[in-house]
Amino acid sequence: MVESGPWTPGQLSFLLGFEVILVSWLYSEWLHYKKRSSHEKVHSDSDVNLVELENQISKEDEKAGLLEGGLTKAASPTNASIIANLSRFLRRDESFFTENRAILRAMAEIGGILIYFYICDRTDIFPQAEKSYSRDLFLFLYLLIIIASGLSSLQKHHDKSIFTGKSLLYLNRHQTEEWRGWMQILFLMYHYFAATELYNAIRVFIAAYVWMTGFGNFSYYYIRKDFSLARYAQMMWRLNFFVAFCCIVLNNDYMLYYICPMHTLFTFMIFATLGIFNKYNEIKTVMTVKLIACFLMTVVIWEVPGVFETIWSPLTFLVGYKDPNPKRTNLPLLHEWHFRSGLDRYIWIVGMLFAYFHPNIERLMERLEESEPRKRQTVKIVIVSIALLAGYLWVPLHIPTRQANL
Ligand SMILES: *[C@@H]1O[C@H](CO)[C@@H](O)[C@H](O)[C@H]1NC(C)=O
């Protein structure tokens, strides 16, 4: 257990905010219940269900739109509507609570989860357990998840290229999301079981994840040319809001969730790379210069002693970290951030390169699919063998030297 001294101002604010949200949500549920039971007396059940269903469908649509990029109108409230809504809230306008019941419920849920985290991590209510790892159990659980998802959600998607209208063969959005998800499950299980022997594999997966940050974000900005601050801010919020709340409620350092600042940093670098002089992105020389500049900048920042510290020192309050381990407690505050962000410092550029050449490779793959079966199979076997060989050389079970922080 870690210290649970007096509450920080952040924790206190969270608790006060949570109480208001909880009461508001319960109130909205009660209003909803009241309205429904009076409604039902007049209408038949099926009417109500239809309306509900319609609402639900339009919400799902909205969500999909958000995921794919552009902001929907509902998601970008103007200042006027924020003030109007706030005043409706303060006046306890009933329609406000019924309209926003789903949002209030989601906020209450997040608050509940955070309080659960606090109880587990900062109090003695639940005793601490030792993590224990058994390879068989680990593989068995992973296999179970694969089977369960295969049975319940296996679908064939056809993502179309916005250039040619043909469906994208490989690395379309559905595939990369799927890939991301499977790796996230592995990250979670790795930490849950403290599966140190999988360290190497996990490092490769984290690199793959950063690769996809480069790949996905490059494609998005290159094709859609949407450099609006609103969308960027929304993505930053999505990446960071949960970690920010965890830091506040658990009184933890941001650096303990290093994966988050790392993706935030690289996402920003990609945004900047494509955003600066974005009118000229289509010109090959400009893009080449940009990609080389990214590479050189990375070399200078991480490789030249002192540069990293100079650039980041104003943000030490955010990314600084004092290791409680007595052996490492004398290290500079920025050491952890330098080390963590440095582990995957080139792969986002590789991801951008792949995104840039994606249409060419896609064309090669199409030609491969159209070639005669014998040739097609040989080429595929060669590609898969090379990939497996690389995996075999990288992934072998490994005991990390920095065992203390996985
Ligand atoms: C950009 O990268 C972030 C961080 O990995 C990710 O959450 C987001 O989905 C990416 N955007 C696209 C369009 O791929």
Side-chain angles (χ1 to χ4, degrees):
M1 204 192 91
V2 196
E3 103 294 347
S4 65
W7 280 356
T8 63
Q11 287 169 333
L12 203 61
S13 323
F14 168 80
L15 197 67
L16 289 175
F18 178 68
E19 280 167 10
V20 175
I21 293 296
L22 188 66
V23 171
S24 310
W25 168 56
L26 292 174
Y27 179 55
S28 77
E29 288 291 348
W30 181 67
L31 286 177
H32 179 74
Y33 172 78
K34 220 172 58 173
K35 210 171 96 187
R36 247 182 92 134
S37 48
S38 65
H39 201 73
E40 260 164 23
K41 279 180 204 130
V42 193
H43 293 277
S44 72
D45 256 359
S46 60
D47 271 355
V48 178
N49 285 344
L50 261 183
V51 174
E52 289 249 310
L53 196 68
E54 240 165 65
N55 281 342
Q56 220 169 5
I57 289 172
S58 69
K59 270 201 199 117
E60 299 266 308
D61 283 351
E62 214 169 85
K63 224 164 57 186
L66 279 181
L67 274 179
E68 290 307 323
L71 285 172
T72 52
K73 241 200 161 145
S76 55
T78 57
N79 278 340
S81 77
I82 291 174
I83 293 171
N85 273 332
L86 205 63
S87 99
R88 282 169 76 205
F89 173 70
L90 292 176
R91 278 185 281 118
R92 271 170 286 139
D93 186 334
E94 292 201 355
S95 66
F96 174 84
F97 288 90
T98 43
E99 278 165 29
N100 292 301
R101 190 170 54 96
I103 295 180
L104 288 168
R105 183 171 57 201
M107 288 167 84
E109 268 171 21
I110 292 243
I113 291 170
L114 287 164
I115 287 176
Y116 176 67
F117 284 3
Y118 182 88
I119 291 173
C120 291
D121 248 27
R122 292 290 181 271
T123 70
D124 284 323
I125 295 176
F126 301 120
Q128 267 213 338
E130 281 294 314
K131 291 183 179 185
S132 76
Y133 170 64
S134 133
R135 190 186 300 164
D136 292 345
L137 181 65
F138 190 97
L139 292 178
F140 174 69
L141 283 179
Y142 199 54
L143 210 69
L144 269 193
I145 298 175
I146 292 177
I147 294 171
S149 55
L151 291 178
S152 64
S153 67
L154 196 61
Q155 275 175 42
K156 205 163 183 166
H157 293 283
H158 291 282
D159 289 24
K160 298 260 183 333
S161 156
I162 69 161
F163 291 133
T164 58
K166 280 192 273 183
S167 44
L168 282 171
L169 284 180
Y170 82 117
L171 289 178
N172 58 48
R173 183 86 184 189
H174 279 112
Q175 286 169 3
T176 52
E177 298 281 277
E178 185 79 15
W179 181 5
R180 276 207 176 100
W182 286 111
M183 295 197 305
Q184 276 187 12
I185 293 177
L186 278 178
F187 298 151
L188 275 183
M189 288 176 65
Y190 168 73
H191 283 289
Y192 184 85
F193 290 107
T196 40
E197 68 168 10
L198 296 178
Y199 181 78
N200 262 7
I202 295 294
R203 287 255 48 105
V204 175
F205 296 151
I206 292 179
Y209 214 101
V210 181
W211 183 93
M212 269 188 273
T213 294
F215 183 83
N217 283 278
F218 183 98
S219 309
Y220 180 84
Y221 291 124
Y222 189 72
I223 295 168
R224 306 242 181 145
K225 303 180 177 67
D226 172 10
F227 296 97
S228 69
L229 204 62
R231 184 193 173 266
Y232 182 74
Q234 196 192 35
M235 184 171 65
M236 285 292 127
W237 168 256
R238 180 159 55 80
L239 272 178
N240 283 292
F241 85 97
F242 197 53
V243 162
F245 276 109
C246 283
C247 289
I248 293 170
V249 171
L250 299 174
N251 193 18
N252 268 344
D253 287 315
Y254 190 34
M255 206 32 61
L256 284 175
Y257 308 89
Y258 79 95
I259 208 91
C260 214
M262 188 184 76
H263 279 286
T264 304
L265 170 66
F266 293 141
T267 311
F268 169 73
M269 308 248 270
I270 297 158
F271 179 71
T273 307
L274 280 116
I276 298 169
F277 300 126
N278 61 67
K279 269 186 256 146
Y280 309 106
N281 277 353
E282 238 96 304
I283 303 171
K284 273 198 189 118
T285 354
V286 173
M287 196 41 85
T288 315
V289 170
K290 281 187 174 194
L291 290 172
I292 293 176
C294 279
F295 180 74
L296 291 181
M297 196 176 66
T298 308
V299 172
V300 171
I301 294 179
W302 274 274
E303 239 69 56
V304 179
V307 175
F308 188 90
E309 284 73 14
T310 313
I311 291 179
W312 284 99
S313 64
L315 289 175
T316 305
F317 72 94
L318 192 65
V319 290
Y321 178 65
K322 196 159 183 59
D323 203 320
N325 183 337
K327 273 192 216 137
R328 287 204 290 267
T329 191
N330 289 328
L331 291 172
L333 285 177
L334 285 173
H335 175 271
E336 184 73 9
W337 177 222
H338 194 169
F339 171 74
R340 290 297 190 184
S341 62
L343 284 172
D344 298 292
R345 63 185 175 282
Y346 293 112
I347 196 75
W348 59 283
I349 305 174
V350 180
M352 294 207 292
L353 269 174
F354 268 78
Y356 191 52
F357 290 112
H358 188 213
N360 302 40
I361 304 173
E362 184 77 18
R363 233 171 289 133
L364 282 181
M365 294 299 264
E366 265 166 29
R367 237 192 286 152
L368 180 64
E369 288 302 327
E370 283 154 13
S371 59
E372 49 151 335
R374 175 85 71 64
K375 187 180 160 205
R376 192 171 64 209
Q377 264 157 18
T378 323
V379 174
K380 281 186 180 174
I381 289 173
V382 170
I383 295 177
V384 170
S385 313
I386 294 176
L388 284 180
L389 182 71
Y392 174 76
L393 294 177
W394 258 100
V395 168
L397 306 181
H398 170 84
I399 306 301
T401 41
R402 289 195 49 150
Q403 207 152 5
N405 21 0
L406 297 177

